[in-house]
Amino acid sequence: MAHPVPAQPTRANSVAFGPGTSASPGQQLHLRRPDDWHVHLRDGAMLQAVVAATARQFARAIVMPNLTPPVTTVAAAAAYRQRILAALGPETDQGFHPLMTAYLSETLDPGELVRGQAEGVFTAAKLYPAGATTNSAAGVRDLAAIGPVLETMERIGLPLLVHGEVTDPEVDIFDREAVFIERHLQPLLARYPGLKVVFEHITTAEAATFVAETGPQLAATITPHHLHINRNSLFAGGLRPDFYCLPIAKRERHRLALRRAATSGDPSFFLGTDSAPHRRQAKEASCGCAGIYNAPFAIESYAAVFEQEGALDKLEAFASDHGPRFYGLPPNRDTITLERQDPASEDAKTVPLTLELDSEAGAPLTLVPFHAGEALPWRLLA
Ligand code: DOR
Ligand code: ZN
């Protein structure tokens, strides 16, 4: 499949940070403004609290539809987009474009997707296997039940975004992604060879290899947290609910494979934070929610990884070029600037331990951000 947007030349000031080079405090890194190809912006008070963090860094974001009730119609998605823009207010909404997704259910009429795409509302549709994660109960139990929907998406060129985990309780939670590839993803790609598919938030070496070896029909997003933590992190010094997300973090060898994939320059891999905020009380509970809130420091988090891998020269492609190319959208024109700091210095800026966010509903809204208490090497300048 031809990529509609040609590759953009790498910026000269990024080339300075090529393999083997490292940055010193005060040095700047200019990047084409990135997009977030997978984010949960929620609704109501939570939306008000979190949306600005995403809009500050990213020009566009693929917004997940797993609200209650899920976003299954053009009208619901259009109204949700309005609420997102309203939450940003007139000063900030100019440059930020939420890209809306439809939540696939077994009762969805394919005509709804055709209309939603034609009206410029739907950019993609999301497949949640029923029971796989937060608000997925109305998702898909049997892929055969959405055959006409998938045929329609293939025909009209609407990308399918997949939460790639089997829900079979017999399958160990750490194996659910790898088993999904064999049982569902491989047959799906073969059955609908013209369907563009994004394997979201991949967490395993098996997924990284599968995506790299499959043609341009398939791409994958990689989160910052799966590049930083492994499954040991969940139990480091005690139970760490802030590192619990789905798909769950895997063994170290998988984290290293994801780092290689993200920094490889392969256009099949691009940025998708899967930032998924839950109130602190809902995370630190006897049955805590899955999701990591990484939005406020997302690009800094990725930059730390790319620097550690000696691949800062590949960050712009991963964050700003590969996603639009896959979706057939133009790359952004403006830029962001990151500045190197010495994380060990006394005046290094650190990620707050908690974020107390204003809630119009009145109830305090406390979120624990990813990297809480850490100083990251790169800071996004305003
Ligand atoms: O950890 C997760 N949280 N994974 C998902 O797939 C959904 C998300 C959420 O919506 O909280
Ligand atoms: Zn997600």
Side-chain angles (χ1 to χ4, degrees), residues 45 279-281 355-367:
R279 287 167 186 264
R280 184 179 194 169
Q281 306 94 294
L355 298 168
E356 309 291 338
L357 298 156
D358 293 340
S359 159
E360 280 181 6
L365 207 173
T366 305
L367 295 170

Side-chain angles (χ1 to χ4, degrees), residues 231-320:
R231 67 188 204 176
N232 286 349
S233 314
L234 281 157
F235 310 105
L239 189 59
R240 307 289 295 270
D242 299 318
F243 293 151
Y244 174 54
C245 65
L246 290 170
I248 199 157
K250 308 295 193 297
R251 289 178 180 276
E252 179 64 356
R253 75 175 177 88
H254 296 290
R255 186 182 75 99
L256 297 178
L258 297 173
R259 284 185 161 229
R260 282 193 296 276
T263 60
S264 66
D266 182 336
S268 311
F269 300 102
F270 46 83
L271 186 159
T273 63
D274 198 16
S275 180
H278 292 277
R279 287 167 186 264
R280 184 179 194 169
Q281 306 94 294
K283 295 280 302 167
E284 299 174 7
S286 61
C287 186
C289 294
I292 294 180
Y293 181 51
N294 60 33
F297 302 90
I299 193 67
E300 287 100 326
S301 181
Y302 284 112
V305 170
F306 277 68
E307 180 176 88
Q308 287 156 8
E309 296 296 321
L312 275 173
D313 60 325
K314 302 281 190 348
L315 177 59
E316 183 177 62
F318 174 81
S320 316

Side-chain angles (χ1 to χ4, degrees), residues 153-167:
M153 291 174 65
E154 181 181 36
R155 180 169 54 79
I156 67 177
L158 191 71
L160 176 72
L161 316 182
V162 180
H163 183 108
E165 287 191 285
V166 294
T167 52

